[in-house]
């Protein structure tokens, strides 16, 4: 599925060696893969004895990533012209600076290296990097870079990378018959000290009780479209006010709805403000939800994508149904 060439590894090594200070950043509303990828890059920079700062605009809504929040800041230090020439920006798990969210400081003009695995990701002008949409998780790519550059991962980092790989693959249930190299990589992480059972519990335990109540509400609101093949549900501002933002468990929602007979795709919309919405898209194997998400300013993978746009749920739903009708 994915092998790094010597040239790609050397390109990243050159980027590291040509800078003395680094900013490491992932997308807003980070998930496990984003956090693990950032910390994996941290491990690489530590080996090369480089100074760095971990950046995230948050918010850390998912209960499984809350423990990582203390390692990140949303404040970019002031950099004069001399500092900026020595600084490298490494972006993981997304390819657009706008997806980093609201960070306090200036990232413009910094030398940039991007490592991403999203289908809609493209290298911005003047940026270097490696994007491979065949990779099931960005953390998997970071593991390959680490092993090529340094060797076996230390135990704590192996646990973190396994955590990131597990979250983006649904604990490997999203992988197909072309994934032997990914399972081999996971096996190496176990050899380094990762414990699959403990990491599964880390990902799936400790959900706030309010998320169970919200899950029931979202299932009640779910409506079927296109002969039952598409299901859409939504969270209103009132729902958010009642149940809060902490510990969202949309993965359980997608899993329950996609397991329903004849359902091929699921959309979960959330009214973030009176004028803006975010949305998550999931599908069975044949439906490319990233193509629909892209119509609303988003993107992602063939079977898992997201978007954020202006609008209201009630007006977005018919537009989303119309786009799905073109591919279903």
């Amino acid at each position: 599925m994915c092998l790094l060439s010597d040239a790609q590894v050397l390109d990243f090594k050159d980027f590291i060696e040509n800078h003395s200070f680094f900013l490491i950043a992932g997308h807003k509303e980070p998930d496990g893969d984003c956090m693990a990828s950032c910390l994996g890059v941290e491990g690489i920079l530590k080996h090369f004895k480089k100074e760095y700062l971990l950046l995230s605009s948050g918010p850390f809504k998912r209960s499984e990533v809350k423990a990582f929040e203390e390692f990140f800041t949303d404040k970019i230090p002031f950099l004069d012209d001399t500092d900026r020439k020595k600084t490298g920006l490494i972006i993981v798990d997304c390819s657009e600076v706008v997806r980093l969210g609201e960070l306090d400081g200036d990232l413009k003009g910094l030398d940039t290296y991007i490592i991403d695995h999203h289908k809609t990701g493209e290298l911005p002008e003047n940026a270097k990097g490696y994007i491979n949409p065949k990779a099931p998780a960005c953390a998997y790519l970071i593991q390959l870079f680490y092993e090529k550059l340094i060797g076996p991962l230390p135990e704590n980092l192996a646990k973190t990378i396994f955590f990131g790989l597990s979250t983006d693959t649904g604990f490997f249930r999203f992988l197909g018959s072309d994934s032997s190299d990914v399972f081999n990589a996971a096996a190496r992480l176990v050899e380094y000290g990762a414990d699959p059972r403990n990491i599964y519990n880390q990902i799936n335990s400790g959900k706030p009780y309010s998320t169970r109540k919200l899950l029931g509400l979202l299932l009640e609101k779910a409506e079927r479209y296109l002969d039952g093949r598409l299901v859409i549900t939504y969270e209103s501002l009132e729902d958010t006010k009642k149940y809060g933002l902490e510990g969202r468990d949309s993965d359980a929602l997608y899993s329950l709805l996609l397991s329903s007979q004849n359902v091929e795709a699921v959309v979960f919309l959330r009214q973030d403000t009176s004028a803006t919405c975010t949305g998550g898209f999931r599908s069975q194997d044949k439906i490319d939800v990233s193509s629909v998400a892209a119509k609303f300013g988003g993107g992602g993978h063939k079977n898992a994508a997201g978007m954020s746009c202006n609008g209201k749920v009630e007006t977005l739903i018919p537009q989303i149904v119309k786009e799905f009708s073109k591919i279903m």
Side-chain angles (χ1 to χ4, degrees):
M1 181 180 290
C2 172
L3 291 175
L4 291 174
S5 69
D6 291 340
Q8 290 159 344
V9 175
L10 182 61
D11 187 51
F12 187 37
K13 185 179 180 181
D14 286 343
F15 184 84
I16 294 172
E17 292 179 338
N18 288 332
H19 301 84
S20 57
F21 178 68
F22 294 85
L23 300 172
I24 308 168
H27 58 76
K28 62 183 179 181
E29 294 191 28
D31 55 11
D33 186 31
C34 178
M35 292 287 90
S37 298
C38 288
L39 295 170
V41 171
E42 176 192 42
I44 293 173
L45 295 180
K46 280 183 176 180
H47 173 82
F48 285 95
K49 296 181 170 53
K50 299 290 185 176
E51 295 184 2
Y52 61 87
L53 186 68
L54 291 162
L55 294 175
S56 178
S57 63
F60 292 76
K61 296 179 181 179
R62 299 167 179 262
S63 59
E64 66 269 21
V65 302
K66 290 290 289 183
F68 298 116
E69 184 173 6
E70 63 179 298
F71 304 119
F72 290 79
T73 179
D74 63 355
K75 294 177 174 56
I76 302 167
F78 172 76
L79 302 168
D80 62 25
D81 290 342
T82 301
D83 294 331
R84 296 181 75 82
K85 291 178 182 178
K86 299 177 181 178
T87 299
L89 171 63
I90 300 178
I91 299 175
V92 298
D93 205 30
C94 70
S95 59
E96 307 93 354
V97 173
V98 67
R99 287 208 63 212
L100 303 183
E102 297 296 325
L103 293 166
D104 183 8
D106 183 16
L107 294 175
K108 293 179 181 178
L110 293 178
D111 286 343
T112 302
Y113 196 96
I114 291 170
I115 303 176
D116 191 18
H117 71 124
H118 291 96
K119 183 178 179 182
T120 51
E122 294 182 356
L123 286 176
E125 187 177 359
N126 300 322
K128 295 183 177 180
Y130 179 67
I131 298 177
N132 191 327
K134 293 183 179 180
C138 188
Y140 169 64
L141 298 178
I142 303 299
Q143 177 187 349
L144 297 184
F145 271 114
Y146 192 104
E147 290 172 326
K148 286 271 192 176
L149 288 167
I150 303 167
L153 279 66
E155 180 177 334
N156 284 340
L157 184 55
K159 292 177 179 178
T160 300
I161 295 297
F162 194 99
F163 170 86
L165 177 60
S166 297
T167 55
D168 248 31
T169 62
F171 219 86
F172 307 102
R173 71 183 188 274
F174 300 148
L175 298 180
S177 59
D178 60 345
S179 304
S180 60
D181 58 333
V182 182
F183 282 101
N184 286 332
R188 295 197 301 273
L189 293 173
V190 174
E191 291 176 356
Y192 303 150
D195 186 326
R197 178 170 54 190
N198 286 344
I199 292 171
Y200 179 87
N201 290 334
Q202 179 185 355
I203 295 170
N204 293 285
S205 301
K207 305 293 185 184
Y209 183 71
S210 60
T211 66
R212 309 299 93 178
K213 301 285 286 184
L214 177 60
L215 182 59
L217 178 63
L218 296 177
L219 290 172
E220 184 178 356
K221 287 184 173 184
E223 296 290 345
R224 294 186 293 178
Y225 301 87
L226 305 179
D227 298 323
R229 292 177 293 159
L230 171 67
V231 175
I232 301 179
T233 189
Y234 65 92
E235 178 180 331
S236 68
L237 289 171
E238 292 74 20
D239 299 332
T240 304
K241 183 177 180 180
K242 182 175 181 179
Y243 294 107
L245 285 169
E246 299 302 316
R248 279 292 177 268
D249 194 13
S250 52
D251 290 342
L253 175 69
Y254 297 132
S255 180
L256 284 168
L257 292 175
L258 281 174
S259 66
S260 301
Q261 187 176 19
N262 297 326
V263 174
E264 298 177 19
V266 172
V267 177
F268 168 38
L269 297 174
R270 184 172 68 235
Q271 192 77 52
D272 287 326
T273 71
S274 60
T276 61
C277 285
T278 55
F281 300 71
R282 298 293 186 273
S283 69
Q284 306 286 10
D285 184 55
K286 295 180 180 180
I287 306 300
D288 183 359
V289 293
S290 69
S291 65
V292 177
K295 299 289 186 180
F296 300 90
H301 308 289
K302 177 182 177 182
N303 302 122
M307 63 86 166
S308 181
C309 68
N310 294 327
K312 294 182 179 292
V313 165
E314 55 267 29
T315 57
L316 281 172
I317 288 177
Q319 297 175 37
I320 290 171
V321 173
K322 181 179 178 180
E323 293 301 328
F324 269 101
S325 70
K326 299 175 182 178
I327 63 172
M328 296 181 73

